Structure formats: C-alpha cells, structure tokens
Amino acid sequence: MKNFCFSKFSFVRDKVIKNGELNADIKKNIIPIGKHEYNVILTTTIEKDDMNIELVAEAQFLYESEDYSREESIINTNTVAIMFPFIRSQVTLLTSQPGMAPIILPPINTQKLK
C-alpha cells in the first residue's frame, strides 16, 4: 500500500445523540491504473436519525508476486483488509465527542464485501 489518504470525511450530528441502531455501509471501487497497480477507494457511510458520517479512503496498491494467477482475488480482499483498520480508527476519532458514545465499527469479512 502506498499513498493512503482520507479524501473526504463529513460528520453531521444533532446536539443530542441518542442510543439506537445505526446503518453502516462500505462500498469498494478498485480501479486498475497500471500493470499490477490499483487505486482502491472505500466509501463508508454511517446513518442514524440524529447523525450522518461519510468517509472516503483511497490508497494505491502494487501487486508483486511470482504467481499472478490469484491477483484479482487477493486485490479484492486484501486491500480492503489492509485499509479497514484505518477507517475504523477514523470513525472512532470522529465520534469521540462529548455527549455521545464513540462508534467502534466491528471487524468485517472482506471476502463478502462487494
């Protein structure tokens, strides 16, 4: 992984945040940018009646191996697994504010993410 960054993040909230269910969604977009090189964009949205978070993380990955037969599968799962801890941390930092409990996203199964 190289050049990781959060290209966008927004956090909109009411003055009072109530406990309750939230909807979280992660979408990935993998764009080939060269031979065995990819730009990976993960867009995370978290919504509740009293708050909304949108977070876009981007990174470039270079796949180097003696065997390129599993490249697509590895890029599809491992890039997300590498980037997701940074997203979890950023969400927790954004929501660690007075008047609300921080949101800590659970680990995800990157093989099931489309």
Side-chain angles (χ1 to χ4, degrees), residues 2-29:
K2 58 183 179 175
N3 300 325
F4 177 90
C5 74
F6 290 105
S7 58
K8 176 181 181 182
F9 55 87
S10 70
F11 178 35
V12 179
R13 62 168 278 183
D14 292 347
K15 287 184 181 181
V16 176
I17 303 292
K18 297 177 183 162
N19 288 336
E21 294 293 315
L22 56 86
N23 293 318
D25 185 44
I26 300 172
K27 293 189 179 355
K28 71 177 173 183
N29 187 9

Side-chain angles (χ1 to χ4, degrees), residues 65-103:
S65 176
E66 292 179 10
D67 177 14
Y68 288 93
S69 64
R70 297 185 51 224
E71 180 174 358
E72 183 178 348
S73 173
I74 290 172
I75 289 295
N76 275 314
T77 57
N78 290 11
T79 57
V80 176
I82 291 167
M83 293 172 69
F84 190 67
F86 297 102
I87 293 168
R88 289 181 74 208
S89 175
Q90 187 67 19
V91 167
T92 301
L93 285 171
L94 286 171
T95 59
S96 295
Q97 298 185 17
M100 73 178 291
I103 296 173

Side-chain angles (χ1 to χ4, degrees), residues 32-45:
I33 57 174
K35 189 170 185 169
H36 310 296
E37 194 169 359
Y38 302 87
N39 188 37
V40 180
I41 302 168
L42 297 180
T43 302
T44 304
T45 55

